[in-house]
Amino acid sequence: MKVLKFGGTSVGSPERMEQLLPIIKSQASDKHLVVLSAVSGTTNALVNISEQYAKGDKEGAKESIDKLFATYKTFIKQLFKTEDGLQAGEEVINHHFSLLEGFSNDLFTSMEERIVLAQGELLSTTLFHFYLKEKGISSVLLAALDFMRIDEEQEPNLEYIKSQLEVELAKYPKETLFITQGYICRNAFGEIDNLRRGGSDYTASLIGAVLQVEEVQIWTDIDGFHNNDPRFVPNTKPIAELSFEEAAELAYFGAKILHPQSVFPAQRFNVPVRLLDTMDLKAPGTLISGNSQNDDQIVAIAAKDGITAIRINSSRMLLAYGFLRRVFEVFERYKTPIDMITTSEVAVSLTIDQTQYLDEIITELNYFGSVEVDSDLAIICIVGDFRNNKLGHATIVSEAVKHIPIRMISYGGSEHNISLLVPAKHKLEALRSLHNRLF
């Protein structure tokens, strides 16, 4: 079995949705499980509707629902070619949009918000299922809410997912094509929930991992990981192969093609992940596995924007154990992850990209010493083979950016990257200088 995940742009129009079938047919596998995101733009619209309901703006929510409904009316008229198909499509969208309108009569809480956000994936998968039916192709629509579950820590319950998914698949021993929703799940209390943004990649990886499939394919609108950001740097090239560790570093530090969490389940169960392009079926894409061929090479560069640096200067650090633990506990209390960290005898500098609780964090950190905050920064991540027996790579990196002010450097925390913190206004210059020097 292969798991094929298609993102929002891959189902963003009736023409795009129609192109999924030849892609699925082209796969050399006995069975396929297709994971779909919501149609492009739908999740953003649903977020807006939720915000309007939460504010009590029922008229605004009704207008937004009507606008999205009109989009789907046009969508199904273009997707379905028969009267029966169009009728089935109308019944699908009527059901889901009646549900959305029904929230105007209820108290709107976070529970209702999660139900609203789930409608995008439920719509796309059901419409695709009926499109295949119209084409005379047998498929099974599996409800992700029947098997995808997270625990009280918001982590996937792998044992539950595996057991329930195997039960669902066993009901259809002769079927070869299955469709399910990305992103959505149930939480530990049985309520509708989600895997957060980017969760469709995560869904595909989780399914592939627990079923031990031969391959997970992530289909997007770009031909795999590139060795730099093609939006800003000319002459970038796709990368043929990456290790799980390299892919995770690139995804975390800014490469938007893959959600950072999505490689971890596949990595744990050693299931290969392949990134492919729906717009160029001949492109080989990028294969992510435990067998990278990138030894002794610098592979790629990525950048992460919106970074804030915090420096705590304190004489209490000198020869003191437990100091860093107490600092980290402040960030833990406010559920704010740290990206980079460097220390000296009397100071610690670290970076964050979530600033929702910055004021509260700074207030608590002032207890330890003087605190300085710098914002509008970017992390440049250079990914490759930086094991301690490799010579010269760090020197090449430093020479490439010697004319750019560096706020922090992180080297040695991983065998796969060097991270540089630079002012955001120097990000593009850093990306291009590194690219010219390294590639």
Side-chain angles (χ1 to χ4, degrees):
M1 175 182 279
K2 289 184 180 179
V3 174
L4 284 66
K5 177 263 177 180
F6 296 96
T9 55
S10 298
V11 292
S13 67
E15 295 78 15
R16 290 284 188 91
M17 190 171 280
E18 290 169 5
Q19 290 172 5
L20 302 190
L21 184 55
I23 292 175
I24 296 168
K25 285 184 173 180
S26 70
Q27 299 301 309
S29 181
D30 57 338
K31 290 186 178 183
H32 304 96
L33 199 159
V34 175
V35 178
L36 297 185
S37 298
V39 171
S40 180
T42 299
T43 299
N44 287 336
L46 293 173
V47 168
N48 182 51
I49 291 166
S50 296
E51 291 174 346
Q52 290 171 316
Y53 271 136
K55 294 175 183 176
D57 182 10
K58 296 181 179 180
E59 291 185 5
K62 178 65 165 61
E63 291 178 5
S64 297
I65 291 170
D66 289 344
K67 182 178 179 180
L68 187 60
F69 193 17
T71 299
Y72 272 88
K73 287 178 180 177
T74 302
F75 191 100
I76 63 169
K77 287 179 181 177
Q78 296 173 355
L79 179 65
F80 294 104
K81 306 298 190 290
T82 67
E83 189 172 324
D84 288 345
L86 181 59
Q87 182 179 347
E90 288 175 343
E91 290 176 358
V92 170
I93 65 172
N94 287 342
H95 168 74
H96 288 282
F97 281 91
S98 294
L99 177 66
L100 292 174
E101 290 179 354
F103 287 109
S104 62
N105 301 318
D106 299 329
L107 176 66
F108 199 80
T109 68
S110 60
M111 184 186 302
E112 284 73 26
E113 176 187 10
R114 293 192 295 269
I115 296 173
V116 168
L117 295 183
Q119 301 311 304
E121 281 71 19
L122 293 170
L123 277 163
S124 64
T125 50
T126 309
L127 290 176
F128 185 58
H129 172 65
F130 280 112
Y131 166 74
L132 293 177
K133 184 176 181 180
E134 183 186 57
K135 302 286 286 185
I137 296 170
S138 178
S139 66
V140 176
L141 183 60
L142 298 176
L145 298 177
D146 289 342
F147 62 84
M148 190 62 63
R149 183 170 293 227
I150 54 177
D151 59 25
E152 294 182 6
E153 300 298 323
Q154 307 296 309
E155 294 296 326
N157 186 332
L158 295 179
E159 291 184 5
Y160 181 91
I161 295 169
K162 176 179 173 62
S163 62
Q164 293 301 117
L165 187 51
E166 288 176 344
V167 167
E168 293 300 315
L169 291 172
K171 295 177 182 177
Y172 311 96
K174 296 182 179 181
E175 295 290 342
T176 61
L177 178 56
F178 301 87
I179 303 164
T180 195
Q181 301 84 27
Y183 179 61
I184 67 174
C185 63
R186 291 192 186 274
N187 59 30
F189 307 102
E191 303 163 341
I192 293 178
D193 211 320
N194 57 67
L195 299 171
R196 311 298 176 257
R197 287 297 184 109
S200 291
D201 289 350
Y202 202 19
T203 298
S205 184
L206 287 166
I207 291 173
V210 299
L211 294 181
Q212 289 282 275
V213 301
E214 56 187 285
E215 187 173 89
V216 174
Q217 296 182 352
I218 308 293
W219 288 84
T220 65
D221 55 357
I222 188 171
D223 55 342
F225 272 110
H226 277 231
N227 60 358
N228 209 326
D229 194 327
R231 297 172 300 173
F232 308 121
V233 180
N235 302 317
T236 66
K237 295 180 180 179
I239 306 167
E241 294 185 28
L242 286 171
S243 69
F244 286 115
E245 293 84 0
E246 290 165 343
E249 298 277 12
L250 287 172
Y252 183 77
F253 285 107
K256 303 299 184 184
I257 187 173
L258 190 68
H259 192 268
Q261 282 185 306
S262 60
V263 297
F264 295 135
Q267 179 180 10
R268 177 177 172 182
F269 291 88
N270 198 29
V271 174
V273 177
R274 193 180 298 272
L275 308 182
L276 294 162
D277 184 2
T278 54
M279 303 300 290
D280 185 1
L281 303 188
K282 296 181 180 179
T286 300
L287 176 64
I288 304 168
S289 71
N291 302 309
S292 170
Q293 304 298 313
N294 298 321
D295 289 353
D296 203 27
Q297 295 181 42
I298 294 178
V299 179
I301 306 163
K304 189 174 186 179
D305 298 311
I307 302 298
T308 297
I310 302 170
R311 178 188 288 122
I312 306 112
N313 295 281
S314 175
S315 59
R316 299 184 195 181
M317 276 190 70
L318 191 61
L319 302 178
Y321 61 86
F323 181 86
L324 287 178
R325 174 183 57 79
R326 293 193 294 273
V327 169
F328 292 155
E329 284 175 347
V330 173
F331 291 89
E332 182 180 2
R333 280 195 291 275
Y334 292 100
K335 300 186 183 300
T336 302
I338 295 169
D339 292 317
M340 291 174 63
I341 180 167
T342 61
T343 64
S344 70
E345 290 85 351
V346 293
V348 56
S349 291
L350 48 83
T351 69
I352 60 174
D353 65 348
Q354 297 179 19
T355 56
Q356 180 181 1
Y357 300 109
L358 181 60
D359 291 341
E360 293 87 344
I361 289 171
I362 298 306
T363 298
E364 292 201 30
L365 292 178
N366 277 320
Y367 169 78
F368 301 108
S370 63
V371 179
E372 301 172 24
V373 179
D374 294 332
S375 57
D376 201 21
L377 302 169
I379 293 175
I380 310 293
C381 175
I382 302 94
V383 170
D385 186 353
F386 292 106
R387 288 175 289 183
N388 58 15
N389 63 338
K390 300 300 176 183
L391 304 177
H393 286 173
T395 301
I396 296 172
V397 169
S398 61
E399 286 179 350
V401 292
K402 62 185 179 182
H403 60 295
I404 295 172
I406 306 297
R407 173 67 171 75
M408 282 174 61
I409 299 175
S410 177
Y411 179 38
S414 164
E415 293 183 341
H416 302 284
N417 89 58
I418 294 177
S419 296
L420 311 174
L421 184 67
V422 302
K425 63 182 180 181
H426 293 290
K427 183 191 82 168
L428 297 186
E429 184 181 1
L431 288 175
R432 290 165 184 164
S433 294
L434 285 162
H435 191 84
N436 291 336
R437 182 66 181 85
L438 299 176
F439 304 121

